[in-house]
């Protein structure tokens, strides 16, 4: 049985778009509703971009700009 799952979200970051831990709206695109960081496979980012996104999300969590867990 082959499952065709095309749930890939494409987020493209341009070279002029600075990724910063203070940009919470942009970082929320890379977090699930449970608060988990989306994988590179599901976001379509390059390795460098994914590492930068992860670093910014973790920094924003430490500074309480983003929650560690979303409690529903």
């Amino acid at each position: 049985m082959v499952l065709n799952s095309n749930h890939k979200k494409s987020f493209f970051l341009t070279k002029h778009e600075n990724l910063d831990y203070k940009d919470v709206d942009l970082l929320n695109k890379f977090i699930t509703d449970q608060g988990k960081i989306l994988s590179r496979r599901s976001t379509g980012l390059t390795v460098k971009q994914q590492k930068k996104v992860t670093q910014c999300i973790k920094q924003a969590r430490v500074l309480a700009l983003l929650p560690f867990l979303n409690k529903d």
Side-chain angles (χ1 to χ4, degrees):
M1 176 198 258
V2 176
L3 297 175
N4 187 6
S5 61
N6 291 332
H7 299 304
K8 188 172 189 178
K9 296 179 183 179
S10 295
F11 299 109
F12 296 105
L13 297 174
T14 61
K15 291 183 179 181
H16 303 293
E17 189 173 13
N18 288 334
L19 191 59
D20 194 20
Y21 68 93
K22 295 179 253 179
D23 194 0
V24 179
D25 295 329
L26 181 63
L27 294 178
N28 276 328
K29 294 179 183 178
F30 300 102
I31 299 177
T32 63
D33 55 348
Q34 297 175 347
K36 296 180 180 179
I37 300 173
L38 291 172
S39 66
R40 183 175 161 251
R41 186 176 66 189
S42 62
T43 59
L45 296 175
T46 64
V47 175
K48 242 183 202 181
Q49 290 172 336
Q50 182 68 28
K51 286 181 182 180
K52 181 71 174 171
V53 165
T54 303
Q55 182 183 16
C56 288
I57 289 173
K58 289 180 179 182
Q59 189 173 6
R61 284 177 175 170
V62 169
L63 294 172
L65 298 175
L66 288 175
F68 280 95
L69 295 173
N70 286 340
K71 298 178 183 177
D72 289 333

